[in-house]
Structures are given as C-alpha cells and as structure tokens.
C-alpha cells in the first residue's frame, strides 16, 4: 500500500499535524463502533428473524474503515514530509492502534452476528483475545529486539473488510448465511483467517526473533525471564475476564457482550500502551498493571453475588476503565509534549517559557 499512501499524502496540506491525522483515523473506527452499536447493540441484527442493519450503514462503515486504514498509513509519511517525526507521534500512533482493535473487531462481528449462521458471543470473546495478543506480540518483540515486525496480513485484512462492508450493503447479510462449500460457512472462514494469521505468522515470527536475539546475546533486557515479563499483566487480565465470563451468575456475556468486549479491549489497550512506553524509553516493563487489582475485586463482587445487579457493575467498571485509560493517555501526551516542547496537534513549537 506504500505507493497508494505516497500518492495520498501529497494532497495533505503541510500545516496538518501527523497526530491529527492519526486521531482522525482512530475516530472513524470509533464512529463505526457507535453506528453499529445504535443499529445492532446486542449483535442480533444479522439473524434471519431480526431487522437488519440499513444498507447505508454498511456503505459508511466500509468508507470509514478504509479512511481509518489510509490515515493510519499516511500519518508517518506526513511526519517525515514535514520533518516533524517525534517519539510522541510513534506512541500516539501505536497507542491508538492498540485501542482500535476492539472497535474494529466488534464492528466486523455485526456482519455475522450471534445467530445460527453467526458466531457465539463467547466464541467471539476468544477471537478478540487472539487479535489482542497478536497486536501485543509485535510490540513485545520490539521491546526485546528493537525491531517492529508488522505482518503483511494486516494490509490484506483491512482492505478485505472494507470491501466486505460494501458488498454487504449491496447483497445483504443473508449472503453470509450460505456455505462456501459443504458446511463451511463464511463465519468459519472469518475465524480461520484470524487464528491462522496469528498462530502461523505473528506468533512464530515473534518467538523466533526473540529467541534468536537470546541465543546471540542481543536481548535488550538480558534474560528470558525479563523478556517474557510483559506478558504477566495481559495473561492475568485474560484469566480474570475469562473467569467472569465462564462463572457469571447472570451469564453476563449473553446479556452485555458489547460492553464486556469494550471493557476487555480498553483494559488491554492500557496494558499495551505501558509496554509501548517502556519499549520506546528502553526501560523495564512493570509486571503488574494497576487496573488488575480493582478488577479482581469487581470479578469477586460479581461471582459471589454481593453485587446484586451484575449488569450495572459491568457498566460502572467499564466506565472506570475507559476514563482511566483516557486519563493515562492524556497525561502521557501532555508530559511528552512538554518534554519535547511541541504541541500534540499542531506543527507549531510550544513556548520555551
């Protein structure tokens, strides 16, 4: 896609800050998430016996997804074009990408939904975790080797999904009910592609490069113990959220799948952002995220029945996680902007006073 991005960036004004491009692209994904939340809040609209999402929504989703992908590709080129590349831009880009995973996955899910020809909400939960771990693997590799490996499958998936949105607008979601061959449905292809890309490309490549660095004594953080330490918080987050899903008294995943996905995706993004900061500053990653302690308490409240309304508890906890993550992001951006004497969304230099 680099030739296309090189062509597009020429049309951007030179006064446009790269971080503003990054943020605009991210907001297109958030807009897609909110749009589908309005028309398909509980992921049932694609089922045969429900009112389907209007065609214009799928057209908008396809356009917005491709715009988000394109802006994510040209922001770095705009930075180099305007000689404004900074560590803040790298953190801003990858930090928002880590949060974008949940908005992207939840929006795609509405194509298939949770009906007979779709994917169950619990199965999608595990698919979401595959996507999240695939994302953090690349940054874990850079944390240990100093090299960021991004598989080309990302480009194919983004373009394909944008096209699928547009095709859905034309032919309707009923098309995805039909098997591709025998009893192999489109949902199965969707699931297979995500899992295959993760376990056949991203995971083995990252492990190979880190172990290769260990054998050649070029690991940035010394030992394999230190190398794998950043996985502690993500794994604990997975355990806590999965225990809640499996043991929920009210079957919270069936009741509020969208909010649960948002909570998990945002908490994971917060953990990932802290790894990215450590990777960029060449500092040791802290093994535990502060969010895990209150989340442990929340899960215990839910499972023991102390919290009478589990749905309300989930909403309150999700709101806390989202606000905590936004606060963390804003604080880091402000501190880096002050340190480098720049503005986050402008190419003007900040005052040195």
């Amino acid at each position: 896609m680099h030739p296309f991005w090189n062509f597009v960036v020429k049309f951007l004004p030179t006064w446009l800050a790269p971080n503003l491009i990054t943020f605009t692209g991210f907001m297109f994904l958030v807009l897609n998430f909110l749009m589908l939340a309005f028309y398909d809040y509980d992921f049932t609209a694609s089922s045969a016996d429900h009112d389907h999402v209007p065609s214009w929504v799928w057209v908008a989703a396809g356009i917005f997804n491709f715009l988000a992908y394109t802006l994510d590709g040209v922001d770095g080129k705009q930075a180099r074009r305007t000689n404004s590349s900074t560590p803040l831009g790298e953190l801003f880009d990858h930090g928002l990408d880590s949060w974008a995973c949940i908005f992207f996955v939840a929006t795609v899910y509405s194509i298939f939904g949770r009906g007979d020809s779709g994917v169950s909400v619990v199965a999608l939960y595990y698919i979401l975790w595959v996507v999240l771990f695939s994302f953090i693997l690349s940054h874990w590799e850079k944390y240990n080797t100093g090299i960021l490996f991004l598989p080309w499958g990302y480009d194919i998936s983004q373009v394909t999904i944008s096209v699928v949105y547009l095709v859905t607008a034309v032919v309707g979601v009923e098309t995805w009910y039909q098997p591709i061959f025998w009893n192999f449905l489109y949902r199965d292809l969707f699931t297979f592609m995500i899992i295959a890309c993760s376990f056949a490309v991203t995971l083995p490549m990252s492990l190979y490069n880190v172990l290769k660095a260990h054998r050649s004594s070029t690991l940035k953080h010394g030992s394999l113990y230190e190398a794998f330490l950043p996985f502690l918080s993500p794994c604990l987050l997975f355990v806590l959220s999965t225990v809640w899903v499996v043991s929920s008294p009210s079957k919270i995943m069936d009741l509020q799948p969208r909010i649960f996905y948002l909570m998990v995706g945002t908490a994971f993004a917060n953990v990932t952002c802290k790894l990215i900061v450590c990777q960029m500053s060449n500092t040791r990653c802290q093994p535990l995220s502060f969010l895990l302690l209150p989340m442990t308490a929340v899960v215990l409240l839910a499972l023991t029945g102390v919290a009478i309304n589990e749905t309300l508890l989930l909403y309150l906890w999700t709101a806390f996680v989202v606000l905590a993550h936004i606060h963390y992001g804003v604080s880091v951006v402000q501190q880096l902007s002050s340190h480098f004497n720049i503005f986050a969304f402008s190419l003007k230099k900040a005052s040195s006073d």
Side-chain angles (χ1 to χ4, degrees):
M1 295 299 289
H2 283 289
F4 175 69
W5 293 336
N6 289 332
F7 172 76
V8 170
V9 76
K10 295 176 183 177
F11 293 93
L12 300 179
T14 54
W15 52 260
L16 186 60
N19 288 340
L20 192 57
I21 298 173
T22 305
F23 186 70
T24 302
F26 170 75
M27 290 309 296
F28 275 125
L29 293 179
V30 175
L31 182 57
N32 269 355
F33 177 82
L34 295 176
M35 231 178 12
L36 269 300
F38 181 80
Y39 286 100
D40 185 25
Y41 183 77
D42 54 359
F43 304 107
T44 57
S46 293
S47 301
D49 54 346
H50 287 76
D51 292 332
H52 298 327
V53 173
S55 294
W56 70 265
V57 174
W58 292 122
V59 172
I63 294 173
F64 291 163
N65 190 80
F66 189 75
L67 284 173
Y69 166 62
T70 301
L71 293 177
D72 188 41
V74 303
D75 54 3
K77 296 184 180 296
Q78 175 75 347
R80 289 183 285 275
R81 179 175 174 236
T82 57
N83 196 30
S84 57
S85 298
T86 65
L88 172 60
E90 181 183 353
L91 175 63
F92 200 74
D93 187 2
H94 296 314
L96 289 180
D97 283 346
S98 68
W99 203 6
C101 290
I102 172 56
F103 301 118
F104 172 72
V105 171
T107 303
V108 172
Y109 185 33
S110 285
I111 296 175
F112 305 98
R114 60 198 287 189
D116 294 335
S117 60
V119 180
S120 73
V121 290
V122 174
L124 197 279
Y125 165 78
Y126 291 113
I127 292 172
L128 172 62
W129 270 107
V130 172
V131 173
L132 295 176
F133 270 112
S134 296
F135 182 89
I136 202 173
L137 271 171
S138 296
H139 292 281
W140 169 73
E141 179 184 342
K142 187 175 183 182
Y143 171 79
N144 285 294
T145 67
I147 300 172
L148 180 64
F149 170 76
L150 294 175
W152 51 261
Y154 169 74
D155 295 298
I156 293 178
S157 66
Q158 290 297 315
V159 174
T160 300
I161 288 301
S162 298
V163 172
V164 168
Y165 286 144
L166 298 178
V167 170
T168 303
V170 176
V171 301
V173 294
E174 295 86 357
T175 300
W176 312 119
Y177 298 167
Q178 307 302 320
I180 304 173
F181 54 84
W182 295 306
N183 292 321
F184 191 77
L185 301 176
Y186 284 98
R187 67 172 183 199
D188 303 317
L189 178 62
F190 162 74
T191 303
F192 172 79
M193 288 178 62
I194 290 178
I195 295 176
C197 283
S198 177
F199 287 96
V201 180
T202 308
L203 177 60
M205 184 62 70
S206 294
L207 286 175
Y208 171 77
N209 289 335
V210 170
L211 292 176
K212 180 181 176 182
H214 173 64
R215 288 195 299 269
S216 60
S217 301
T218 57
L219 273 181
K220 295 181 68 176
H221 297 277
S223 66
L224 282 178
Y225 169 79
E226 289 293 334
F228 283 88
L229 195 63
F231 280 131
L232 181 59
S233 283
C235 289
L236 288 176
L237 177 61
F238 171 74
V239 170
L240 285 172
S241 58
T242 302
V243 167
W244 193 352
V245 168
V246 173
S247 304
S248 169
S250 65
K251 303 297 180 185
I252 193 66
M253 184 58 79
D254 290 327
L255 294 176
Q256 297 293 336
R258 184 175 294 271
I259 299 302
F260 202 94
Y261 297 151
L262 177 61
M263 181 272 292
V264 169
T266 305
F268 192 91
N270 187 260
V271 171
T272 304
C273 282
K274 292 174 180 177
L275 172 61
I276 295 172
V277 169
C278 293
Q279 162 241 300
M280 290 177 57
S281 58
N282 199 27
T283 54
R284 182 177 185 266
C285 181
Q286 295 300 311
L288 292 175
S289 169
F290 88 95
L291 281 176
L292 294 174
L293 185 59
M295 184 170 178
T296 302
V298 168
V299 173
L300 288 174
L301 286 174
L303 301 190
T304 58
V306 174
I308 300 175
N309 191 329
E310 194 175 357
T311 297
L312 177 60
L313 178 66
L314 174 63
Y315 270 85
L316 292 174
W317 173 240
T318 302
F320 175 82
V321 171
V322 170
L323 292 175
H325 186 51
I326 292 174
H327 175 265
Y328 173 77
V330 170
S331 298
V332 171
V333 169
Q334 287 179 339
Q335 290 173 26
L336 283 176
S337 297
S338 175
H339 178 76
F340 291 109
N341 197 35
I342 58 176
F343 291 109
F345 297 112
S346 173
L347 295 180
K348 297 179 180 178
K349 289 289 185 181
S351 172
S352 58
D353 294 339

